[in-house]
Amino acid sequence: MVIVHLTNHVLEIGNGIVNVAVDLACTQSNLGHQVFFLSSGGEYESLLAEHNVIHVPIVFKKSLIRLPDMIFSFRRIVKTIQPDIIHAHMMTGALIAKIARLNFHYKLVTHIHNEFQKSARVMSVGDTVIAVSDSVCNSMIKRGINKNKIVVIHNGTLHSPRVHPTEPIFLQHPALVTVAGLYERKGIRDLIYAFNMLSHDITAHLYIVGGGPDKEIFEKLAKDSSRNSFIHFEGFKGQPSSYYQNADIFILASHKDPFPLVLLEAREYGCAIIATNVDGIPEALDYGKSGLLVPTRNPNSLKDSIEYLLLNQTERYNLSCRAQENLTVFTVERMTDDVIDIYTRLLS
């Protein structure tokens, strides 16, 4: 097949949408398909080239004024490539691919990664719509997407071509680790509050791995806390595997999260996991079998679960073992096979 993936960029900034799209493109190319990637560019261009994926620069922007230029540029590229499948991972690219399809015969697949965005309804323009979790699927059906054209394909990130060896790190223990963008919706505020409420006789260190627009807000919260010297902001890490390896407990306190890749990565490294019971998170943790689920926006419950695991080494060990079970469903290869099946059905 000739396959084209569309995202706004391929920057290595921890964007889950880009990470999934890059993984798919590389793995599909490795299977012998001819794969192109259209975006404004970024650090992953070199990785795409290593896997014989051809990157073609194009700028997708939410701008009515620029719409005619984007459609013209897109049609010119498509005329040269003659794709069988266009796989759009972001809304602007999906709209352009839909509008520009006149006289072309490609099938359009749209991929809903973040259904909490109001504009996610736009992704219904695809011939087939992929949802990253049952939670996302059900939400989008309620918002009017035809249930007969929406298919659930869970994210897979294990065996990702993006992963490479990293230098070891040494954390102070017990080490509580979160890997997340520094946005309010990731629940970092709740995590800091919960950490501050831990019993005085418990000594632990909190490592916050990630970057984002609300970093200064969270740093001030940490600075004003009674445990400020035990809270460490590590910044964005393209390869956070060393943090998973050294975590005593991995925590994800999101308010919204369709199907987070970091939980799959934490499971691979055998982390004892605490995460909020929201959106696709329960699906990523086998509905509580592979990690503790707590109510979202509830620092008290989060604090109780952290204390429980810190004081119960046996339960931490049991959670660690269960986290590593049934991981084959979360590989990039499985995700790629499922997506190729979608393409094949569309083309037949």
Side-chain angles (χ1 to χ4, degrees), residues 119-264:
S119 51
R121 178 69 176 77
V122 168
M123 301 300 273
S124 64
V125 299
D127 299 309
T128 292
V129 180
I130 296 174
V132 297
S133 66
D134 291 327
S135 173
V136 168
C137 177
N138 294 333
S139 174
M140 297 313 298
I141 290 172
K142 289 177 183 176
R143 291 166 65 177
I145 291 185
N146 186 337
K147 66 179 180 180
N148 294 321
K149 67 189 276 186
I150 189 165
V151 179
V152 175
I153 297 181
H154 288 131
N155 287 336
T157 191
L158 310 188
H159 307 164
S160 166
R162 294 175 290 104
V163 175
H164 55 75
T166 59
E167 292 295 322
I169 59 168
F170 302 95
L171 305 183
Q172 299 179 76
H173 295 274
L176 314 179
V177 173
T178 189
V179 178
L182 300 189
Y183 301 86
E184 286 287 353
R185 68 177 176 84
K186 288 293 188 177
I188 305 298
R189 181 187 299 270
D190 298 338
L191 179 54
I192 292 173
Y193 285 162
F195 185 70
N196 288 337
M197 290 189 291
L198 293 177
S199 299
H200 294 299
D201 57 342
I202 290 179
T203 300
H205 291 262
L206 174 60
Y207 292 88
I208 300 173
V209 183
D214 297 326
K215 179 181 178 182
E216 291 184 3
I217 296 172
F218 301 139
E219 285 180 334
K220 186 176 187 308
L221 278 178
K223 184 179 179 181
D224 294 341
S225 79
S226 58
R227 292 177 179 257
N228 60 78
S229 60
F230 297 92
I231 302 176
H232 314 278
F233 286 86
E234 301 292 287
F236 169 71
K237 306 293 180 184
Q239 302 290 330
S241 56
S242 294
Y243 288 90
Y244 299 126
Q245 289 173 327
N246 286 276
D248 293 291
I249 302 173
F250 182 84
I251 304 167
L252 189 66
S254 298
H255 300 164
K256 297 178 181 293
D257 229 323
F259 199 86
L261 300 181
V262 293
L263 288 182
L264 311 183

Side-chain angles (χ1 to χ4, degrees), residues 33-49:
H33 301 286
Q34 188 174 9
V35 185
F36 296 81
F37 207 115
L38 275 59
S39 84
S40 63
E43 292 88 350
Y44 282 133
E45 286 184 60
S46 57
L47 177 64
L48 292 170

Side-chain angles (χ1 to χ4, degrees), residues 77-143:
I77 294 168
V78 168
K79 186 177 180 180
T80 301
I81 294 173
Q82 293 293 315
D84 300 305
I85 296 288
I86 288 186
H87 191 146
H89 298 265
M90 295 179 177
M91 285 167 279
T92 305
L95 273 178
I96 296 297
K98 178 68 173 181
I99 295 169
R101 185 152 61 165
L102 183 65
N103 297 327
F104 292 115
H105 301 290
Y106 58 76
K107 297 296 184 180
L108 176 59
V109 174
T110 53
H111 206 139
I112 302 178
H113 300 266
N114 287 340
E115 61 67 40
F116 54 81
Q117 296 174 329
K118 291 181 180 179
S119 51
R121 178 69 176 77
V122 168
M123 301 300 273
S124 64
V125 299
D127 299 309
T128 292
V129 180
I130 296 174
V132 297
S133 66
D134 291 327
S135 173
V136 168
C137 177
N138 294 333
S139 174
M140 297 313 298
I141 290 172
K142 289 177 183 176
R143 291 166 65 177

